[in-house]
Amino acid sequence: MESLRRIETWSVPHAAAAVVRGADGALLGAHGPQEHLFPLASVTKLLTSYAVLVAVEEGVFELDDPAGPEGSTVRHLLAHTSGLAFDEHRVMAEPGNRRLYSNAGFDVLARTLEQAAGIEFGRYVAEAVFQPLGMHATLINTAHRTPAGAGGLSTVADLVRFAAELQSPKLLDPGTLRAATREVAFPGTGGVLPGFGHRRPNDWGLGFEIRDGKAPHWTGTTNSPATFGHFGQSGTFLWVDPEAGVACVALTDLDFGPWAAEVWPVLSDAVLAELRG
């Protein structure tokens, strides 16, 4: 796809991108080093969330089991409504009242899964998600201070496989994935979208940000409100647009900043325009 060549103009050390069709998981286009290992930062949360959903279906625990601060559940942690602070194990609000984006909450989520499954978190994710999908280069570094939130390493080639799974699930019941990505958890909850300011509502599913009508946003202006995904502080993103029937992955190794807020939406709009023909 010609639109993906736009990453050549980004002032980053390395960049790679790909577009995946939802109907059959076909790779529609790719550009840049597909096997280069990039730090994912918070795109890791998508992998963590998927493993948690697999654990729920396997009966390891339930979404409404207690986890985190008093009154909080696994569901609250996934939806960033547990009340935990951004990067501290400090309670800032009652569960369900505010969308407090929380790396600490995902750290608690990982520990909760470990305790319930009796398996080290990184191993569980590898066995539940990475190995079945053939994501052999992907790992979550559990030595990282917040392994569930920012310890992931992966390649575009691996995330292409994950993007295909997000559009046509084989590891999850389709209804489970739809509920996590298309239904807003704790509707009407406001909060800060990192890098873009306060939003009310700040819609989120279960681990997946839902675009809805947020503007400005890291996805394109022509992405549908149903678009879901995540971006990472290391200059990475993955979105799925169910209405367009495609997913887009872009990985770099330059920290998120004004450069990304400027070029990411342009790339996304160019991809969607090329697909529309």
Side-chain angles (χ1 to χ4, degrees):
M1 293 181 64
E2 191 64 28
S3 54
L4 293 180
R5 291 187 174 276
R6 289 177 176 269
I7 67 173
E8 294 177 0
T9 67
W10 295 358
S11 298
V12 299
H14 303 91
V19 175
V20 185
R21 187 165 57 200
D24 55 5
L27 181 64
L28 299 183
H31 195 67
Q34 301 294 292
E35 301 291 345
H36 185 86
L37 197 63
F38 290 91
L40 298 181
S42 284
V43 171
T44 308
K45 290 184 173 71
L46 299 182
L47 306 175
T48 297
S49 300
Y50 216 75
V52 168
L53 295 172
V54 170
V56 169
E57 288 199 345
E58 289 182 342
V60 173
F61 50 26
E62 296 183 5
L63 286 172
D64 294 318
D65 281 353
E70 184 176 356
S72 174
T73 66
V74 172
R75 188 187 305 273
H76 285 103
L77 292 169
L78 281 168
H80 296 286
T81 57
S82 70
L84 283 172
F86 171 67
D87 226 8
E88 303 175 67
H89 291 264
R90 179 165 55 96
V91 178
M92 302 287 290
E94 291 291 320
N97 287 350
R98 293 169 60 189
R99 188 87 64 195
L100 291 172
Y101 183 86
S102 178
N103 288 329
F106 265 68
D107 194 27
V108 172
L109 189 61
R111 303 307 173 215
T112 301
L113 192 155
E114 272 188 344
Q115 292 167 9
I119 301 174
E120 187 269 331
F121 174 73
R123 179 183 162 195
Y124 187 91
V125 179
E127 293 181 357
V129 181
F130 303 158
Q131 292 172 16
L133 295 181
M135 299 170 63
H136 301 304
T138 304
L139 61 89
I140 294 180
N141 179 10
T142 53
H144 195 285
R145 66 189 181 92
T146 54
L153 296 168
S154 191
T155 64
V156 168
D158 271 11
L159 290 185
V160 160
R161 298 179 178 93
F162 185 61
E165 169 70 12
L166 290 176
Q167 296 178 91
S168 183
K170 296 177 176 60
L171 305 183
L172 285 179
D173 182 276
T176 299
L177 181 59
R178 182 177 179 84
T181 59
R182 302 293 293 274
E183 298 177 12
V184 177
F186 306 97
T189 309
V192 173
L193 176 63
F196 293 90
H198 194 276
R199 296 288 182 270
R200 179 170 287 279
N202 188 18
D203 287 347
W204 226 273
L206 298 179
F208 298 81
E209 189 209 339
I210 299 173
R211 190 192 194 288
D212 200 6
K214 299 169 191 167
H217 195 257
W218 56 273
T219 63
T221 59
T222 56
N223 276 96
S224 75
T227 300
F228 62 86
H230 219 294
F231 80 87
Q233 183 62 33
S234 57
T236 57
F237 74 74
L238 186 162
W239 57 250
V240 176
D241 190 332
E243 293 188 10
V246 295
C248 183
V249 179
L251 303 181
T252 78
D253 45 15
L254 179 67
D255 282 354
F256 173 83
W259 73 269
E262 178 181 348
V263 302
W264 286 354
V266 174
L267 173 66
S268 298
D269 284 338
V271 165
L272 292 169
E274 183 173 356
L275 292 171
R276 287 193 300 267

